[in-house]
């Protein structure tokens, strides 16, 4: 189906796919393309505009990513963001240099021209900046649209070419008016119609799965979380009984998790669900391991072994379906040559197809969490599944800082259950995007029953976000936090202190490990 689209040329930004997601929020189809995509290839697409993403490199660094300069001759508007602005401005005659006062975090943007890109904005607004280089000599062919205290050319427009640039990130939630800037670009500058819908994605994905799979069997690793549940439902919609789901009990699940998954998918939805109890193998391999990346690698290796043990029993199984989302992909390293920095490993990204001998089916890998929920609602999944908080693939193994033991798991399961129960009772579960308890390897002095205690610390974390690439800590009322703390200390043996994590992402990640 031919439709209007915005192409995002990805220079390795941690927010590259977030830009695409923001565009789709405005009902305009977007596609991530490698930075080196030629102008000829782009000209074959139904383009309404191009966005050049940010990236970690300097435009002058050896090997810095570049794009085909002929894109500036295409008759479509181009918006450069951060590195994308610097690259575009450099190509069009401006000078870029490192600056003494690097901007990182919130800055105040003051408007000097609100005729197009910055239309409908106040005189000043907060923006999220992250750059060490910036435009220092603009040249006569540019117009300045906005400035910050340390960046005189924070937003610009070329007089002759249809190029715009911003030296900040309008796509992140930390830029409150960024949505207006993107809307101005899409509708006022690119003249988009805005007729793309999530139902288009669902129908096209179902067709793509049918074409890819044919009459083969697809195996899906089912955890009971939103992502794997939506994947299972989407693929079941496409191929029915050709789908077989496998639940690996790694011993790192939440309390009663295994029983709840079986009741939901095998008993209610009548999906072919196989359960593999591999808990002893996981816990044995994790003995004495404290490094979080090593824990993830071990859990990934054992997951493969457990999967193999069951997958070998399934005839005609050629495909493996996974609920990989784009935040998983981009935080795990590279996709399609994307040079984004590696932050942490995910056992469900990279390596699994080769290890297991299956072709991979990842129907959600270009979506963010809230978009996956939209797909789930469109497919008719129950609210309890659609709105369930994310749970990491390595389970509680990465919510215990340090060595994982059966005793620590029991402590964490009990604390986690109290946290979730109380935020649900307070009516906060849907407001909070993700809540978790972390067992910290620190013992502190306390007084319990008139006696000195020296026991564990539980850290609580709750965040609010729409994209899981950026997040702010949730402002849970003090009385609710107090109730959670009191219950954990009174009911969970081995805990005498509860703390609340008030860091945002970035610079922190949502999970602790």
């Amino acid at each position: 189906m031919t439709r209007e689209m915005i192409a995002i040329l990805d220079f390795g930004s941690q927010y590259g796919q977030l830009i695409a997601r923001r565009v789709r929020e405005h009902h305009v189809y977007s596609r991530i393309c490698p930075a080196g995509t030629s102008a000829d290839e782009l000209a074959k697409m139904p383009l309404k505009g191009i966005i050049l993403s940010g990236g970690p490199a300097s435009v002058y660094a050896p090997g810095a990513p570049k794009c085909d300069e002929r894109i500036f001759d295409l008759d479509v508007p181009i918006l450069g963001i951060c590195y994308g602005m610097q690259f575009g401005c450099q190509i069009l005659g401006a000078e870029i240099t490192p600056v003494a006062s690097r901007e990182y975090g919130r800055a105040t943007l003051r408007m000097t021209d609100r005729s197009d890109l910055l239309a409908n904005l106040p005189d000043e607004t907060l923006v999220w900046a992250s750059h060490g280089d910036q435009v220092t000599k603009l040249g006569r062919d540019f117009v300045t649209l906005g400035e910050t205290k340390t960046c005189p050319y924070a937003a610009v427009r070329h007089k002759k070419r249809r190029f715009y640039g911003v030296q900040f990130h309008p796509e992140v939630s930390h830029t409150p008016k960024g949505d207006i800037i993107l809307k101005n670009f899409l509708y006022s500058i690119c003249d988009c119609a805005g007729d793309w819908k999530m139902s288009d994605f669902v129908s096209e994905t179902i067709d793509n799965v049918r074409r890819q799979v044919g009459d083969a069997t697809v195996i899906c690793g089912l955890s009971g979380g939103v992502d794997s549940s939506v994947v299972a439902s989407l693929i079941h919609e496409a191929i029915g009984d050709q789908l077989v789901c496998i639940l690996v009990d790694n011993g790192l699940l939440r309390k009663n998790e295994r029983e709840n998954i079986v009741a939901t998918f095998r008993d209610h939805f009548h999906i072919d669900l196989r359960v593999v109890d591999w808990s002893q193998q996981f816990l044995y391999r994790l003995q004495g391991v404290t490094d979080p990346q090593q824990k993830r690698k071990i859990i990934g290796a054992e997951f493969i072994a457990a999967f193999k043990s069951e997958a070998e029993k399934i005839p005609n199984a050629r495909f493996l379906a996974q609920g990989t989302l784009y935040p998983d992909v981009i935080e795990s390293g590279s996709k399609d040559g994307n040079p984004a920095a590696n932050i942490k490993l995910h056992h469900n990204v990279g390596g699994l197809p080769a290890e297991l001998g299956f072709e991979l089916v990842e129907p959600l890998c270009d979506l963010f969490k809230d978009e996956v929920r939209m797909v789930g609602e469109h497919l008719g999944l129950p609210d309890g599944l659609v709105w369930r908080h994310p749970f990491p693939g390595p389970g509680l193994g990465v919510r215990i800082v340090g060595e994982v033991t059966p005793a620590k798991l029991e402590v964490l399961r009990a604390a986690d259950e109290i946290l979730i129960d109380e935020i649900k009772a307070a009516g906060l579960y849907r407001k909070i995007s993700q809540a978790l308890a972390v067992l910290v390897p620190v013992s502190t002095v306390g007084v319990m029953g008139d006696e000195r205690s020296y026991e564990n610390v539980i850290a609580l974390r709750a965040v609010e976000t729409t994209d899981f690439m950026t997040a702010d800590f949730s402002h849970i009322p003090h009385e609710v936090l107090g109730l959670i703390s009191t219950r954990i200390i009174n009911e969970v043996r081995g805990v005498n202190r509860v703390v609340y994590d008030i860091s945002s992402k970035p610079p922190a990640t949502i999970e602790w490990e």
Side-chain angles (χ1 to χ4, degrees):
M1 180 171 58
T2 302
R3 64 164 84 84
E4 63 183 16
M5 67 168 284
I6 298 292
I8 294 113
L9 299 191
D10 189 3
F11 290 105
S13 172
Q14 289 294 332
Y15 306 128
Q17 187 74 3
L18 181 52
I19 300 169
R21 180 194 168 281
R22 296 295 188 221
V23 171
R24 292 197 298 264
E25 278 183 347
H26 289 290
H27 306 292
V28 177
Y29 180 70
S30 59
R31 181 183 297 172
I32 298 288
C33 302
T37 303
S38 71
D40 293 336
E41 291 178 79
L42 291 169
K44 296 175 185 176
M45 303 175 185
L47 279 187
K48 296 292 284 186
I50 297 172
I51 297 178
L52 309 180
S53 84
S58 165
V59 293
Y60 295 114
K66 300 183 183 300
C67 69
D68 185 344
E69 295 182 15
R70 294 180 301 147
I71 68 168
F72 295 94
D73 297 324
L74 298 174
D75 189 27
V76 295
I78 299 175
L79 172 64
I81 295 175
C82 202
Y83 178 92
M85 170 186 172
Q86 296 163 15
F87 179 83
C89 287
Q90 181 190 45
I91 295 300
L92 297 176
E95 291 186 19
I96 317 297
T97 57
V99 290
S101 300
R102 180 174 186 243
E103 279 191 324
Y104 181 81
R106 286 187 170 92
T108 299
L109 177 71
R110 188 177 70 83
M111 315 306 160
T112 57
D113 184 329
R114 288 184 289 182
S115 60
D116 41 35
L117 186 67
L118 304 184
N120 305 311
L121 291 177
D123 291 339
E124 293 186 349
T125 187
L126 291 176
V127 297
W128 182 263
S130 178
H131 62 94
D133 294 352
Q134 65 184 38
V135 177
T136 49
K137 289 187 180 179
L138 198 55
R140 302 183 207 176
D141 290 332
F142 282 92
V143 175
T144 303
L145 308 180
E147 61 187 13
T148 69
K149 183 177 180 181
T150 60
C151 184
Y153 311 119
V156 301
R157 176 184 68 241
H158 197 270
K159 293 179 181 178
K160 301 174 183 176
R161 306 290 187 104
R162 301 175 73 183
F163 176 76
Y164 298 77
V166 291
Q167 190 58 77
F168 54 86
H169 291 277
E171 72 274 19
V172 303
S173 58
H174 297 319
T175 300
K177 304 293 185 183
D179 196 50
I180 297 175
I181 297 171
L182 291 175
K183 186 176 181 180
N184 288 338
F185 179 70
L186 295 172
Y187 287 95
S188 299
I189 295 172
C190 295
D191 196 29
C192 291
D195 55 4
W196 185 75
K197 309 180 292 295
M198 185 55 72
S199 57
D200 295 335
F201 168 84
V202 172
S203 60
E204 289 176 15
T205 300
I206 287 173
D207 289 342
N208 290 339
V209 169
R210 286 173 179 159
R211 279 195 297 269
Q212 180 183 6
V213 170
D215 60 359
T217 296
V218 177
I219 298 175
C220 177
L222 186 59
S223 69
V226 179
D227 307 335
S228 65
S229 298
V230 171
V231 164
S233 180
L234 191 59
I235 293 178
H236 194 258
E237 183 82 12
I239 61 172
D241 293 341
Q242 291 171 240
L243 172 69
V244 178
C245 292
I246 297 176
L247 167 63
V248 175
D249 184 351
N250 57 13
L252 308 172
L253 302 177
R254 285 173 162 174
K255 192 172 181 180
N256 300 322
E257 186 81 358
R258 173 174 165 175
E259 295 79 3
N260 291 337
I261 294 171
V262 170
T264 299
F265 289 93
R266 182 189 291 168
D267 301 339
H268 182 71
F269 289 114
H270 306 294
I271 288 177
D272 186 353
L273 173 62
R274 321 282 177 89
V275 178
V276 183
D277 190 339
W278 212 260
S279 54
Q280 291 185 358
Q281 291 92 323
F282 276 93
L283 295 178
Y284 175 77
R285 288 286 313 282
L286 289 169
Q287 287 180 12
V289 179
T290 59
D291 179 73
Q293 296 291 63
Q294 187 62 25
K295 285 196 287 187
R296 287 178 177 268
K297 289 179 180 178
I298 289 171
I299 292 168
E302 287 302 320
F303 176 76
I304 291 169
F307 225 94
K308 277 184 175 179
S309 74
E310 188 63 32
E312 289 171 353
K313 305 173 188 176
I314 301 172
N316 197 32
R318 287 180 43 214
F319 294 90
L320 173 66
Q322 293 187 151
T324 306
L325 306 191
Y326 195 78
D328 298 333
V329 174
I330 199 162
E331 289 190 351
S332 297
S334 65
K335 180 189 179 190
D336 298 330
N338 175 13
N342 188 336
I343 296 174
K344 62 186 179 183
L345 296 174
H346 291 256
H347 80 266
N348 64 332
V349 178
L352 276 183
E355 291 282 352
L356 292 170
F358 293 116
E359 223 178 300
L360 194 61
V361 180
E362 290 181 301
L364 308 180
C365 67
D366 287 325
L367 300 186
F368 285 81
K369 182 67 69 173
D370 64 319
E371 294 178 310
V372 174
R373 296 191 200 282
M374 291 169 63
V375 173
E377 288 182 326
H378 182 79
L379 293 169
L381 290 175
D383 279 356
L385 275 178
V386 171
W387 292 98
R388 192 174 188 200
H389 287 184
F391 188 64
L396 299 179
V398 291
R399 292 182 179 176
I400 294 173
V401 180
E403 183 184 9
V404 178
T405 67
K408 290 179 180 179
L409 284 164
E410 287 308 306
V411 170
L412 185 56
R413 282 193 184 100
D416 174 82
E417 183 179 44
I418 291 170
L419 168 63
I420 300 302
D421 284 350
E422 290 302 330
I423 62 173
K424 284 181 176 178
L428 298 173
Y429 190 78
R430 288 279 291 268
K431 181 176 184 289
I432 295 169
S433 304
Q434 185 171 353
L436 57 131
V438 179
L439 183 60
V440 182
V442 174
S443 295
T444 66
V445 174
V447 178
M448 303 181 76
D450 295 327
E451 294 183 1
R452 179 183 182 275
S453 68
Y454 193 60
E455 295 181 326
N456 295 307
V457 176
I458 289 287
L460 306 178
R461 180 139 171 79
V463 299
E464 295 175 19
T465 178
T466 58
D467 49 62
F468 286 84
M469 295 298 287
T470 61
D472 286 318
F473 72 90
S474 184
H475 292 258
I476 297 176
H478 290 174
E479 59 270 21
V480 177
L481 286 174
L483 177 58
I484 295 169
S485 174
T486 299
R487 280 198 60 196
I488 290 174
I489 291 171
N490 287 344
E491 299 175 27
V492 182
R493 187 176 295 276
V495 177
N496 69 355
R497 191 177 300 270
V498 175
V499 298
Y500 188 54
D501 180 351
I502 60 170
S503 52
S504 294
K505 177 184 180 179
T509 55
I510 294 173
E511 297 286 346
W512 276 38
E513 289 199 331

